[in-house]
Amino acid sequence: MGLFTRDTQAIFWNNNRNAIQRMLDYDYIIKREKPSVAAIVAPTSSNKFDKFFFGTEEVMIPIYRSTAEAAAAHPNADVLLNFASFRTAYDVTMDALGYDQFKTIMITAEGIPERLARIMNKTARDKGVLIIGPATVGAITPGAFKVANIGGTIDNIVKSKLHRPGSCGLVTRSGGLFNELSNIIALNADGIADGVAIGGDRFVGSVFIDHLLRMEQDPNVKYMLLLGEVGGREEYKVIEAVKSGKIKKPIIAWCIGTIAQHFSSGVQFGHAGASANADEETAIAKNRAMREAGIHVPDSFNDLPHVIKGVYEELKGKGIIKDIEEPEVPNVPEDFAKALKAGKIRKPKNFICTISDDRGEEATYAGYPISSVATPDTGKTIGDVVSLLWFKKVYPRWAVDFIETVIKTVADHGPAVSGAHNAKVTARAGKSVVESLVTGLLTIGPRFGGAIDGAAYYFKYAHDNNMSPKEFVNYMKKQGVPIPGIGHRIKSVRNPDKRVEGLKKFAKDHFPSTPLLEYALEVEKLTTSKKDNLILNVDGTIGILMVDMWRALGYTEEEINEFIESGTLNAFFILGRTIGFIGHILDEKRLGMPMYRHPFDDILYDVQKAEEIK
């Protein structure tokens, strides 16, 4: 039998998404019923699974933190594909050898220390486990199972007839030449039945003779092709097996590196083991010895296709090789990202973003690189960022500074307000900063912070409709609505709010004009004549000055109305008060305050005995 079957499943060590997807694409074109990758081991991942495509559908492959967990959960997976780095590959392999279920372990890492490689290989042989590698692209049983990237792209696999079994058993060191020879065999014969690239390191786990003896026993393999190279003596083991009769099937063989005879000193040809240390290890000597043993050896690599075709035609003429019925090969759907990049498809967008872009070398705010507003040397502030991301404008300095002043003004108003209270109680319940912050933010609305929106709306409405202050007050009374932005629980004419005074002074010193503020102050004269705490409060001042700011910046009345209706003004309160809420949350964490419980004496209990229904 071949090395793998259509039921073979692997555990993939290290989440190499491209290699795994190529395996699943191969599964799809050969119409496997279940994916060849049963599980992924990713020690540093916190994910429980990853998604891959199986044709047009997605499948979830579970992820485990260790080989032990993966092996226990998938006892039928008898192949380990070790994609760990050369620093980790030895430990991963030795760990896997401790589990009886693995029959084959493939190792991609190149450069595992030779002493460790020899220990690893001996341990595997003692346990009867086949090691492919190190420094290999893997192996394939066409029509059944392929390891990771061997064979290249799906197009190359189909052209090389690796999607269904042929007649040749192919063994090489090189992964690249494995692909090339698969193509040559497909062009001159009917493809391969089993193929392995044993790896380029000096000490690999399984050598040529191991696989050729295995293929000798495989009835699907009718002849074999061995591609050796300069260096080492593994080809001589094959020669002895042919001479002794252990291998009876025809073998085609060639050792690359014949050009080495033209160099005056030893040269390593790519792989760690590709260097002749004696005359017998040269490619010319090994090719001559194999030819003398009755192996089909061409005169040069260029003659290899002719030899393959000759052996194939001879075996077919004897009836040993039968015609192969070509299976239907489904098309592998093209990845969306690749198709989109190639301009092959178009897709409507689900979201639209007009304020920022993170696709280039540097993300931008409204077309400006973040570095142009974020670093200290730019002189930019949070106000500049708000003007870009909220309004897509570069505001003048006075407007930016006003935004900054507003944010600082509304940042906090003590622990007793509903938002701060909620945030503190939640923090004392042991919740995170995010959870505690959200409970505070959820209280912001018509009764807490909402006066900013309301003040801007009603004062602007009155001003736009040329109402006198007295007409405005009477209008609001008829509406049954308290004037938003008017009134304070503590502050009054005799005890003014310093925050309001500061905002009014800033506007007087920096705003081009403040018509709505002047109108509001006339309204304040009427309201305070009735009660001295019916002053223009901080929420009202902010809302009114925001309208004056936007008018001075050239916005139309329709645009300003849209800002008000969309909640933009309340957003300033949310942004500023977030700073204060976080401060209270961190204060609770820092003080290590216990769970909050409200005192009994602050609750009016009015609990009546429930009526009994008979």
Side-chain angles (χ1 to χ4, degrees), residues 133-149:
T136 179
V137 297
I140 185 171
T141 300
F145 180 94
K146 101 174 183 83
V147 171
N149 296 312

Side-chain angles (χ1 to χ4, degrees), residues 6 22-32 54-55 140 143-144 146 153-159 161-164 327-333:
R6 289 180 66 86
R22 282 188 173 183
M23 288 182 68
L24 298 183
D25 287 344
Y26 184 75
D27 296 343
Y28 178 70
I29 68 165
I30 67 172
K31 301 178 182 178
R32 271 183 63 124
F54 194 79
I140 185 171
K146 101 174 183 83
T153 65
I154 290 296
D155 286 344
N156 188 70
I157 283 171
V158 174
K159 289 177 181 177
K161 300 180 181 177
L162 293 172
H163 60 293
R164 51 87 175 138
E328 181 182 351
V329 182
N331 290 323
V332 176

Side-chain angles (χ1 to χ4, degrees), residues 271-291:
H271 296 144
S275 178
N277 297 310
D279 288 343
E280 287 186 337
E281 293 186 12
T282 64
I284 289 178
K286 289 193 282 188
N287 283 333
R288 181 171 57 246
M290 289 191 292
R291 187 179 293 111

Side-chain angles (χ1 to χ4, degrees), residues 349-501:
K349 310 297 185 184
N350 290 316
F351 287 94
I352 298 173
C353 181
T354 66
I355 63 169
S356 61
D357 192 336
D358 58 354
R359 294 172 299 175
E361 291 186 9
E362 183 181 0
T364 62
Y365 294 161
Y368 285 79
I370 292 179
S371 60
S372 69
V373 295
T375 55
D377 60 325
T378 63
K380 304 297 184 181
T381 65
I382 291 295
D384 291 286
V385 175
V386 169
S387 71
L388 289 171
L389 293 181
W390 289 15
F391 307 109
K392 300 190 292 184
K393 303 281 188 183
V394 179
Y395 280 3
R397 192 78 255 148
W398 65 267
V400 167
D401 288 344
F402 175 65
I403 291 174
E404 193 93 7
T405 302
V406 169
I407 293 170
K408 291 186 290 187
T409 300
V410 302
D412 190 39
H413 201 251
V417 296
S418 59
H421 179 85
N422 269 21
K424 288 169 75 69
V425 170
T426 309
R428 289 176 67 164
K431 294 291 188 175
S432 68
V433 173
V434 172
E435 292 166 311
S436 303
L437 174 61
V438 167
T439 63
L441 292 176
L442 288 175
T443 65
I444 295 175
R447 297 181 179 179
F448 177 43
I452 298 178
D453 279 327
Y457 174 80
Y458 282 108
F459 277 94
K460 182 178 184 299
Y461 176 82
H463 189 261
D464 290 350
N465 286 278
N466 299 313
M467 292 183 187
S468 68
K470 186 175 181 179
E471 287 173 334
F472 175 47
V473 172
N474 291 334
Y475 169 79
M476 296 301 290
K477 186 181 295 184
K478 289 178 182 178
Q479 296 291 318
V481 178
I483 302 175
I486 292 291
H488 199 283
R489 190 170 60 88
I490 299 172
K491 300 297 181 180
S492 65
V493 175
R494 293 184 301 277
N495 180 27
D497 190 333
K498 298 291 186 183
R499 297 175 300 171
V500 174
E501 297 301 307

Side-chain angles (χ1 to χ4, degrees), residues 444-459 482-487 536-544 564 569-570 573:
I444 295 175
R447 297 181 179 179
F448 177 43
I452 298 178
D453 279 327
Y457 174 80
Y458 282 108
F459 277 94
I483 302 175
I486 292 291
L536 183 63
N537 60 34
V538 69
D539 290 354
T541 306
I542 291 171
I544 289 160
I564 296 170
L569 290 161
N570 219 24
F573 187 84

